Amino acid sequence: MRKTLLSLTVVACLAVPVAAAGLRVRDARRADAALAEGAALLDRPITDRAELTALPTREARTQFQMARGGIDEETSRRARALEHVCDALDSLARGELAAAAQAADGALRLRPDEPLALVVQAQAAASGGDRGAAERSIERMQRGSLASQNLRVRARLLRAGWLLDAGRAHEALDVLEALDRDNPNVGAALNLLGLARSAVGDRLGAMRAFERAIELHPHKEVALLNLARAQREQGQLEEAKSTLARALGLAPDYADGWVLYGVVLADLRATNARHVLVRAAQLAPTDATPLAAQGALDLADQQYERAAESFRQALARDPEHAIARTNLGIALARLGRNDLAQRAFEEVTQRAPHVGEAWNGLGALRLQSGQFETAVGALRQAVTLLPEDPNPSINLGRALEGLQQWDAASRSYREALRRQPQHPAAAERLLALTPPDARARLRARLGLEPESPAPVVRAARSSRTLASRR
């Protein structure tokens, strides 16, 4: 009996390690399953979660905390690394770029090739303006073998956005055209494709991309807004108005939508434009555009004091708003405050030298004050930057006349007439510079009515006759 009891005790002692091993196996399986579920939550396709910061970090973090207690060291290490990734994503969503970069670095210290950590690190760098570091992180992720197809697609989409932000529109277009061929039903990619096409001048192609994006984008109002922008650029103001009404129907508090809606209504000179722009300014308290648009309405109504105040308020929100500062110069010039107007134009030409209207305004003020030589330089810039506007060419012609460069002035007036045939001021000045015996031919070439000097001559003769009779 005693021997039997001893045998049972031995069996029981032997059974303890077997049971413990079973528990460890079960815990390991649970940890692996939790890690896989959490990783899957962060590996959503961009058709489901277009924005990196929209990934469900809260649910994923819960799974990683469960996986972290597993026995397997690799499982635990990756779970801790992905917890850091969740922290980085949450920091990105709050705009805390330094914290996001630090959390991503923490993930990479635990797992140097963790692909999602590299993508988040790249996004933090790009948002902070270091696009070189962002590109290097993406290249490192692409060289590795651990990234899923979903993540690779997401990285291409992010990179295209960075290229657009950097002004590298043609490079962005190449990336997005390829992405659209491989993944033709991604709304966010189509929206960026439209922006890229618009940036390279393909407005019709941009509109087609936006129309496709509307059906697929998780935030349809974004694609509708961009379509309305493209329609406005094409001069399709009524269509843009309808598109924006649709966008605001989907998202009634969409600040960017109200801003553009007010601008389009201002273009149409609609009676409710000012009311909409006031609402837009309230919904977008840091955006200068609605205030600048209010100023443009005031300029059109010849309310120059009120216009100047609107532009000043716009510049208080955004000192780099080049159009507001240019229009402030125009309003001040109309008020006769030429020194202040010239200062405004000069600031624009220094801060945003691509704004042709500022160069034209600066040249016109210099011309008005008799500074012909300095006016010519500014007006040549305006002629180049405003290739369809006849006014810079007319102003340049007048400045060249002031310098007695008659042939160059004539060429400038001809350029104005090429841009706008029969422009009265350009035609008048060109005729004045043309020898009398060639004016009739020039009038015919310009499509102007023949000049009839007879009444002037008769009046002169009549006057002389009356004088002789007296």
Side-chain angles (χ1 to χ4, degrees), residues 136-454:
R136 288 191 294 274
S137 293
I138 290 297
E139 288 170 6
R140 183 175 159 192
M141 181 276 292
Q142 290 172 334
R143 285 196 304 268
S145 60
L146 299 177
S148 68
Q149 181 60 25
N150 284 339
L151 188 59
R152 291 180 186 277
V153 171
R154 186 179 294 281
R156 290 167 71 188
L157 183 64
L158 288 171
R159 183 170 179 269
W162 306 334
L163 290 170
L164 269 179
D165 290 341
R168 295 158 62 183
H170 286 92
E171 291 178 68
L173 183 60
D174 289 342
V175 173
L176 289 161
E177 294 283 10
L179 187 57
D180 185 45
R181 286 193 296 272
D182 298 340
N183 304 269
N185 296 313
V186 179
L190 287 166
N191 186 58
L192 284 183
L193 177 60
L195 291 174
R197 287 176 175 173
S198 181
V200 301
D202 182 8
R203 292 177 179 173
L204 293 177
M207 291 169 69
R208 287 195 295 270
F210 292 138
E211 286 164 356
R212 289 174 59 203
I214 290 166
E215 303 305 319
L216 299 163
H217 203 287
H219 300 289
K220 296 185 187 300
E221 68 276 9
V222 173
L224 285 163
L225 176 74
N226 287 327
L227 175 60
R229 281 200 183 104
Q231 289 169 330
R232 178 175 179 254
E233 289 172 359
Q234 288 287 95
Q236 300 174 6
L237 296 178
E238 289 292 347
E239 292 85 345
K241 175 183 171 184
S242 299
T243 300
L244 288 164
R246 184 179 166 192
L248 293 170
L250 292 171
D253 293 327
Y254 186 30
D256 289 345
W258 282 103
V259 170
L260 186 58
Y261 190 44
V263 170
V264 169
L265 291 176
D267 291 340
L268 289 167
R269 304 289 292 151
T271 56
N272 60 334
R274 191 177 301 277
H275 171 75
V276 170
L277 288 168
V278 169
R279 175 169 171 75
Q282 293 168 344
L283 286 170
T286 62
D287 193 339
T289 302
L291 291 168
Q294 288 181 51
L297 280 178
D298 296 328
L299 265 184
D301 292 338
Q302 299 183 3
Q303 300 291 324
Y304 301 128
E305 287 284 3
R306 195 165 70 181
E309 182 57 29
S310 294
F311 295 131
R312 289 191 187 99
Q313 290 179 17
L315 291 166
R317 289 186 174 189
D318 179 8
E320 301 302 319
H321 199 292
I323 299 304
R325 196 173 296 279
T326 301
N327 283 335
L328 173 61
I330 293 171
L332 291 169
R334 299 282 169 82
L335 290 166
R337 301 171 190 168
N338 288 357
D339 289 347
L340 293 175
Q342 184 163 329
R343 193 180 309 161
F345 291 137
E346 286 172 347
E347 268 195 78
V348 178
T349 59
Q350 292 163 8
R351 295 184 181 202
H354 60 280
V355 180
E357 291 84 357
W359 288 106
N360 186 54
L362 179 60
L365 286 179
R366 288 174 176 173
L367 171 64
Q368 187 176 330
S369 61
Q371 303 173 50
F372 301 125
E373 289 188 7
T374 55
V376 166
L379 292 167
R380 287 195 193 282
Q381 289 277 19
V383 168
T384 301
L385 292 167
L386 302 171
E388 298 177 5
D389 188 346
N391 293 303
S393 294
I394 294 170
N395 287 333
L396 177 59
R398 286 173 173 155
L400 291 166
E401 281 194 71
L403 295 172
Q404 299 184 4
Q405 296 181 19
W406 315 118
D407 290 343
S410 295
R411 287 194 296 272
S412 194
Y413 294 134
R414 289 181 189 279
E415 172 60 20
L417 289 166
R418 185 192 66 78
R419 296 179 178 197
Q420 184 177 327
Q422 298 186 343
H423 190 290
E428 177 188 350
R429 294 310 310 152
L430 182 59
L431 285 165
L433 293 175
T434 302
D437 58 351
R439 286 176 189 166
R441 292 193 301 275
L442 177 61
R443 294 184 72 89
R445 279 203 305 274
L446 296 177
L448 301 174
E449 291 292 328
E451 186 177 24
S452 176

Side-chain angles (χ1 to χ4, degrees), residues 69-82:
I71 296 171
D72 182 71
E73 177 60 27
E74 177 57 24
T75 298
S76 179
R77 182 184 295 275
R78 189 178 183 213
R80 294 200 307 275
L82 288 174

